[in-house]
Amino acid sequence: MRILITNDDGIEASGIIRLAHAAREFGEVWVVAPESQRSAASHSITLHNEIDIYPCPDFPVDGVHAYSCSGTPGDCVRVGSLSVMPAKPDIVLSGINFGYNVASDIQYSATAGAAFEASFQEYHAIALSEGCNGHEVTDKYIKEILKKLIATPLEPGFIHNVNFPDCPLGECQGILYDRKVSRGMFYKDHYNVVEELDDGGVRYVVEGVYNPEAEEDTDFHAILNNYVSVGVVNNVGY
């Protein structure tokens, strides 16, 4: 099996390195990831500028073909699968993202966006995300979940979306499959004025207020209750 891995945290992020380690068990691994942080780039691609690809011989996972990309995570999937790899991938893995991608955050997420691009290109795609304070739940369950989802193909336009809770392993309640996407908001945002600019301009910066409220049977509710959330998400237009 040929596996393409990307992310939105950049080629040097610990999450993509750990995902590449786990993925080696399932086949030949290729990594094409942004050269730096691309969070919240959603499903954007580059149309009016060049895209530069560089090999990464120091990528710290043996046997992995790794490249950095100047573009977005969506670009990484497109260029990686159509030009960098000698043949198209059987599956695309996006992550492991630093921070959850549940509820309304999915529409902004470049982790999910890269997976949606993979599905658009008719590849089986899985997006994976975790909390920001620990990895032990992810490292415990990731191979089990990958094994199950790799064997569960989806219709075009759909992706698997996996989120690992931010809790110690002993507090994790297990895995919940078939989670729906919450209609809530992980953060309720507002904008603060940080500077009055010349000629009447105003400079703002966003501030998010954590919103721990979610409907039952949803991805966000699972995470709030220390479960691994696994669900299927469809792209706009499908």
Side-chain angles (χ1 to χ4, degrees), residues 193-205:
V193 176
V194 294
E195 187 177 354
E196 301 286 344
L197 304 175
D198 294 339
D199 299 322
V202 181
R203 179 169 292 160
Y204 294 90
V205 66

Side-chain angles (χ1 to χ4, degrees), residues 8 38-44 73 94 97 99-117 125-130 157-163 178-187 189 215 217-221 223 229-236:
D8 69 3
R38 297 287 191 278
S39 290
S42 189
H43 194 163
S44 62
S94 184
N97 189 65
Y100 302 132
N101 282 305
V102 298
S104 59
D105 281 19
I106 292 174
Q107 64 186 318
Y108 305 111
S109 165
T111 303
F116 283 131
E117 178 58 38
I126 305 172
L128 303 106
S129 306
E130 65 182 355
F158 290 78
I159 66 169
H160 296 289
N161 189 44
V162 182
N163 283 270
D178 302 319
R179 297 302 92 185
K180 298 178 292 186
V181 178
S182 171
R183 299 185 67 177
M185 297 180 180
F186 195 83
Y187 289 99
D189 294 340
E215 317 92 313
D217 301 323
T218 64
D219 51 3
F220 191 12
H221 191 270
I223 287 297
S229 170
V230 183
V232 174
V233 183
N234 66 302
N235 203 352
V236 175

Side-chain angles (χ1 to χ4, degrees), residues 35-183:
E35 62 190 4
S36 59
Q37 177 63 249
R38 297 287 191 278
S39 290
S42 189
H43 194 163
S44 62
I45 59 172
T46 300
L47 293 179
H48 304 295
N49 295 293
E50 296 83 2
I51 297 172
D52 299 332
I53 299 288
Y54 285 95
C56 297
D58 297 329
F59 190 78
V61 184
D62 292 339
V64 170
H65 310 277
Y67 298 82
S68 68
C69 173
S70 64
T72 67
D75 291 326
C76 293
V77 172
R78 291 165 63 90
V79 177
S81 66
L82 300 176
S83 297
V84 176
M85 297 178 68
K88 292 183 178 181
D90 298 297
I91 192 163
V92 175
L93 308 179
S94 184
I96 304 165
N97 189 65
F98 182 73
Y100 302 132
N101 282 305
V102 298
S104 59
D105 281 19
I106 292 174
Q107 64 186 318
Y108 305 111
S109 165
T111 303
F116 283 131
E117 178 58 38
S119 182
F120 180 73
Q121 297 291 337
E122 300 185 341
Y123 311 137
H124 187 180
I126 305 172
L128 303 106
S129 306
E130 65 182 355
C132 301
N133 296 313
H135 306 314
E136 56 181 349
V137 174
T138 307
D139 294 344
K140 166 69 174 178
Y141 290 109
I142 188 167
K143 289 185 180 180
E144 174 185 343
I145 291 172
L146 285 176
K147 183 177 180 180
K148 181 179 177 67
L149 297 187
I150 286 172
T152 309
L154 298 171
E155 298 179 9
F158 290 78
I159 66 169
H160 296 289
N161 189 44
V162 182
N163 283 270
F164 299 92
D166 200 359
C167 65
L169 182 58
E171 296 178 13
C172 179
Q173 302 299 306
I175 306 170
L176 291 177
Y177 288 90
D178 302 319
R179 297 302 92 185
K180 298 178 292 186
V181 178
S182 171
R183 299 185 67 177

